[in-house]
Structures are given as structure tokens and as C-alpha cells.
Amino acid sequence: MTLPEAPPAQFNYAQFLIERNATRQDKTAYIDDAGTLTYGQLADRIRRMAGGLRALGLRREERVLLLMQDVNDWPVSFLGAMYAGVVPVAVNTLLTADDYAYMLANSRAQAAIVSGALLPVLQQALARGDHEVGTILVSRPTGALPEGSHDLAAFIEAQAPLAQPARTWADEPAFWLYSSGSTGRPKGTVHTHGNPYWTAELYARPVLGMTEDDVVYSAAKLFFAYGLGNALSFPLSVGASVVLMPDRPTPDACFQRLTAHRPTIFCGAPTGYAGMLASPALPARDQVALRLCSSAGEALPRDIGERFTRHFGCEIIDGIGSTEMLHIFLSNRPGDVRYGTTGRPVEGYEVELRGEDGRPVPVGEIGDLYIRGPSSAIMYWNNRDKSRESFQGSWTKSGDKYSCDADGYYTYAGRSDDMLKVSGQYVSPFSVEGTLVQHPDVLEAAVIGVPDDNGLTRTKAFIVLKPGRQADAALEDELKAFVKSRLPPHCYPRLMAFVEELPKTATGKIQRFRLRETEARGEAA
């Protein structure tokens, strides 16, 4: 593969997308539950949004908080801010008022754009914090608007389009994403105007083979780095159409979009694929038009990938990305899928596995994953220690553990802070979880280490059973034997707990640290 040409030094990403789709004025860009948005309408609203933000007095590089569900207003608001040189801060829609109070203060947002359904929690956050925003723009209000706020649609319609984009640079701050919080408090991750260009050029075209003929539907939300690529930078870079969904991606909600809009590319997470396969409403192959699926967020278990492909006849391209790298840098390829692995490095990125001494590990051994590539974030905002820890020169430390086989395929071993040492040997929680979910009674599993009375680590599995399955001592023994038959003896979970659900981020990542906290409180009690 010949690497694409770099963007020019002076570069505004929103303007780049408008220009790239200048000949597609009447083509559908976005479809949500309320209607469609053509590429021509999208460009006009982006410019009007930019003009409106300038009219509010927002200046270059000031931040605006985006607390929005996935509807057509989302890309208009995000790209409108970037067109104006204002920095949108896209945040998770499923957090608490305390979380938003922290993010408002941390980002010093001068305005907020919020979905009507989320306005109450934003108001609570503003009441609890010591940071004020100048203006609140409300997308699709559900009731009377509070003083100082405006209906977003009416606001955009009333603005004069900003004639020229801000003279931004490819390397200057363009937007923030907060890390998903799978290992603690989210960090404000600062990305440039050039970064989404690189993810699309290195992944959407050469790996996914995305074209203007595709219809893309992402269960992963736009505030998530994975979802932002799937439903904004990737499809808009090639002139494809996008299906947006404001509500949570339950199996039934996903099935509705897959059968009604018949997308050709679906982007989800392992937990979503597992839930879809377990649903009695799973559509037949001929009810959908899928040619390819993508998975990220956590490593895709082999069993889930194989069963999905048998049912729908299309592959799931599993890969790993991160908020820090913006999208996927290690991936399987169409026609070259090895379920149970995360594939090979995406061209344009370098990957290394390093041991505790900082040196590369031998083939087959587990090491810390480091990445070097053009889409790396600049820093974590106001967090110098964490920035130094993750952004090490041109390399980014991912916090993930991997091994690489002799053929160059990488296999996930878990988060660095999730790895366990049992009987003097490393145990990958993910390998145990991936084995447990192969049992016909198990829907999901999460594994952590807990200390025994002697201070030694024992493996404990938290298990969600499939609907209609009952937990008892016999099943527990059966599951332990099941793992023992497939993994080395020291890997099987000595302890088990059957739970209704696992704690997760809104992007579907299991929060094992929450399980550790709960376990510690139980022991303390």
C-alpha cells in the first residue's frame, strides 16, 4: 500500500469534508428517526452553525460541550464548531451530573449543545459545579426552554452562514474526546484537525473498502472514538450514507435499523454481537444487506465471530483502537479473518510489544502494546503525569497486553492493570472470559483477581447467563471443568458469582475495576 498524501499544513477538517462532497449535494448523508439530511443541507447547516457560534462570541480554540444523542444535529454541531475554529468536546451521554460537572470545569466550556432529553442532567451538573456556560443550545427540546437557552434548529436557521472556515492548521487542537473510563476517571484527550483525516485514509478505504455506495450503521455512538470514525469521518470521507440511532443499541433496536434501512456495513462491539446472537428476534440472513461488520471496544471472542458469520454470511473485522489513537490501528482484514486474534498492524502504523524492561518481547510472549502513527492525540488536558505516561515521544502506550505469533497476528491478553498472576504465572482475564462464553449457558463473563486469607490471588468469574438458564452448584462445577479442559489448570476460576449484568462503559467495555471495588467493599464489610 502506498501511504496517502498528508493534509496541507493549513487544514480545516470540516471544510475538507464539505469540499470532498461538493458534487453530492442531493445525496443522503444522514438518516435518523426524524428524517434525512443531504450533503448539501449538511454543508449549509455546518456553515450556519459556525456563524452562530461566532455570533455568540465564541473565539478560536474555546470549547463547547456536546452532550448529544446520535441524531442529525450531532454532525452539524461537531463540524460546525470545527469550521469556526471552536473546539467541540464530545461527551458520553450516559454519565451522571457529577461527571458532567467535572467535564464542564475541566474543559472550561463556554457553551453547551445538548439533546432535549439530556437537558435536565446538564442543568443538574451546572447547579452542582462552579463553572458557568454562556449559552445552551437544545437539540429537539422536550418542553419549555430555560432562560438563556435556545432551540438549536431555530438558532441554526436564523444564522448567516460563515463564508470562510477558520484558518486552522492540521496540527492544532480540533476536538476533544473523554476517555471511556474503563480504568478510572475520564481524561480529556485532545485531537487535531489532521487526525480524523488519517484514520479515514488508513482504515476506511484500504481495510473496510468503504465507498459512496455503502450505507453505514454504527451501534457505537458518535461520542466514542470508534463511533466517530464509523459514523462521521469514514463515511463522509467517501460520500456514503449513515444511519443514526438516538437510543441505546439493544438487539431489537439494532434489528429494526438493519432490516428497515438495510445498511451494508454495521459497526458494533462484542457485547452487542453476543446479545444479538442470543436474541430470539435475530433476523434471517435474507432480511439484511450486510457485506461487512466491524468490532472494537474489546477483543471479539472467537465463538461469537464464528457464529455470526455462519448466520449472516459476512465477516466481522475485529480490531483494536483507542481514544488516544482515535481509531483502529491493529485489525483483521476482509478475507483474512482469524477469529480469536486482533489481526495485524494497519498500514501506516507501527506496533511493538515490550516487556517490563522496555525491550521487545520474543514471539509468543505477552508484552505491553505500543503504537506509533499519525492519528495520535496531542495530550490529556491538564494531566501532565498521565500524558507523559501514555505519550512517549512518537510512541503511545496503549495500556493493553498482547502476544504476537510467528505469522504476525496479535492476540489480546487483557488490560495491563487487569492481568493476574496466579501460582506465579500470568493469567489473561480475557482468555478465561473468552472460554467461558463458549459454554452454551453463558452470555457474558468478567474475570478479576481477589486475594485469599494468605494474600494470594485467586481468579473469580462474574457470569451472566443466557435467558432461561438457572445458576446452581452443578453448573458452577460444570463451568470450572469446561475452562480446565480448554486452558492450563492455573487459569480456571476458583470462585464464581452469577450476576444479572456486568458494569460497562457506554461503549460496551467491561469495567473490571468496578468489580474489584465492589469485591473490596464486600470483604471490608
Side-chain angles (χ1 to χ4, degrees):
M1 170 185 167
T2 301
L3 293 183
E5 184 178 345
Q10 187 175 308
F11 183 72
N12 183 291
Y13 186 67
Q15 174 66 5
F16 165 75
L17 291 179
I18 290 173
E19 291 178 348
R20 179 162 276 196
N21 293 293
T23 60
R24 301 186 178 98
Q25 295 297 295
D26 296 327
K27 185 181 179 189
T28 297
Y30 283 99
I31 307 163
D32 70 11
D33 292 350
T36 62
L37 193 65
T38 67
Y39 273 99
Q41 291 169 329
L42 176 63
D44 178 65
R45 293 185 192 181
I46 287 170
R47 292 187 174 109
R48 289 179 184 275
M49 184 76 208
L53 292 175
R54 288 281 186 88
L56 290 173
L58 270 75
R59 297 172 294 181
R60 285 277 300 273
E61 297 189 26
E62 288 187 325
R63 271 78 65 190
V64 54
L65 191 84
L66 262 65
L67 175 56
M68 303 179 71
Q69 296 171 326
D70 280 20
V71 297
N72 292 345
D73 286 340
W74 205 107
V76 169
S77 300
F78 184 82
L79 294 171
M82 292 174 70
Y83 191 90
V86 174
V87 177
V89 179
V91 299
N92 186 330
T93 58
L94 299 175
L95 300 180
T96 67
D98 287 339
D99 292 318
Y100 298 132
Y102 165 76
M103 291 173 176
L104 285 163
N106 181 252
S107 67
R108 304 188 193 117
Q110 298 300 298
I113 310 174
V114 60
S115 292
L118 300 171
L119 179 59
V121 71
L122 177 66
Q123 290 177 297
Q124 293 172 29
L126 289 167
R128 294 182 189 184
D130 56 2
H131 178 79
E132 296 182 2
V133 299
T135 303
I136 299 174
L137 302 174
V138 184
S139 169
R140 302 183 183 179
T142 58
L145 293 177
E147 184 178 352
S149 62
H150 306 275
D151 181 296
L152 178 63
F155 175 82
I156 293 173
E157 185 65 27
Q159 306 306 314
L162 188 63
Q164 296 295 325
R167 292 169 59 85
T168 54
W169 299 82
D171 286 341
E172 81 173 64
F175 62 95
W176 295 15
L177 300 174
Y178 274 90
S179 64
S180 62
S182 60
T183 57
R185 192 150 211 176
K187 300 176 288 291
T189 310
V190 182
H191 279 284
T192 69
H193 278 268
N195 286 359
Y197 166 87
W198 282 115
T199 60
E201 294 300 309
L202 295 175
Y203 196 76
R205 293 168 180 266
V207 178
L208 298 179
M210 192 178 292
T211 73
E212 64 179 345
D213 295 326
D214 280 308
V215 177
V216 184
Y217 166 45
S218 177
K221 299 300 183 181
L222 281 160
F223 65 77
F224 178 28
Y226 174 50
L228 182 66
N230 300 338
L232 193 146
S233 55
F234 288 8
L236 298 191
S237 74
V238 298
S241 299
V242 184
V243 177
L244 294 179
M245 180 178 72
D247 44 337
R248 297 187 68 172
T250 63
D252 285 347
C254 290
F255 297 156
Q256 180 185 344
R257 275 76 183 181
L258 289 173
T259 56
H261 300 293
R262 296 180 66 82
T264 55
I265 297 178
F266 173 70
C267 307
T271 52
Y273 287 112
M276 291 167 68
L277 289 170
S279 171
L282 185 68
R285 182 184 297 193
D286 61 4
Q287 292 180 275
V288 303
L290 295 172
R291 70 166 184 85
L292 189 66
C293 291
S294 169
S295 180
E298 285 203 312
L300 181 74
R302 179 195 304 271
D303 178 64
I304 292 174
E306 291 175 344
R307 287 194 290 127
F308 191 92
T309 296
R310 282 197 301 270
H311 183 84
F312 285 111
C314 70
E315 296 172 316
I316 300 178
I317 308 303
D318 186 31
I320 182 175
S322 66
T323 306
E324 293 76 11
M325 295 303 295
L326 191 57
H327 213 274
I328 291 170
F329 49 80
L330 187 63
S331 180
N332 282 272
R333 269 78 164 172
D336 183 24
V337 171
R338 294 195 185 185
Y339 286 127
T341 80
T342 315
R344 297 174 288 112
V346 172
E347 291 194 60
Y349 293 91
E350 295 178 62
V351 172
E352 282 188 3
L353 299 182
R354 302 178 187 174
E356 294 180 0
D357 59 0
R359 297 179 179 178
V361 301
V363 171
E365 291 194 11
I366 293 174
D368 290 304
L369 179 67
Y370 286 76
I371 316 100
R372 178 160 62 187
S375 61
S376 175
I378 300 173
M379 62 178 170
Y380 299 128
W381 181 258
N382 279 357
N383 199 331
R384 194 172 189 186
D385 288 343
K386 286 293 184 181
S387 293
R388 284 174 166 172
E389 181 181 327
S390 292
F391 305 110
Q392 301 180 13
S394 61
W395 290 92
T396 299
K397 183 178 181 181
S398 74
D400 296 291
K401 294 277 192 180
Y402 265 85
S403 64
C404 181
D405 65 20
D407 294 329
Y409 290 80
Y410 287 73
T411 299
Y412 183 65
R415 293 287 298 175
S416 298
D417 46 10
D418 288 332
M419 290 294 290
L420 308 175
K421 210 161 193 180
V422 179
S423 301
Q425 302 178 75
Y426 274 118
V427 174
S428 163
F430 180 76
S431 66
V432 183
E433 294 161 4
T435 302
L436 282 167
V437 297
Q438 294 177 39
H439 191 279
D441 289 347
V442 176
L443 178 62
E444 294 180 311
V447 171
I448 64 170
V450 297
D452 63 14
D453 293 339
N454 298 314
L456 301 174
T457 298
R458 292 190 295 172
T459 309
K460 182 170 183 176
F462 295 81
I463 295 169
V464 179
L465 295 176
K466 291 180 179 177
R469 311 297 167 91
Q470 298 297 320
D472 55 31
L475 178 58
E476 183 172 334
D477 291 340
E478 182 181 334
L479 291 174
K480 290 179 180 179
F482 186 81
V483 176
K484 283 183 183 179
S485 70
R486 288 161 171 78
L487 293 177
H490 69 278
C491 293
Y492 89 91
R494 271 65 169 179
L495 303 171
M496 287 189 178
F498 296 94
V499 296
E500 293 295 322
E501 61 181 0
L502 298 173
K504 298 172 189 169
T505 68
T507 58
K509 294 182 182 179
I510 296 172
Q511 293 179 309
R512 294 175 187 83
F513 77 96
R514 297 289 186 201
L515 294 173
R516 290 193 289 268
E517 290 173 353
T518 301
E519 193 70 16
R521 287 195 297 269
E523 289 178 358

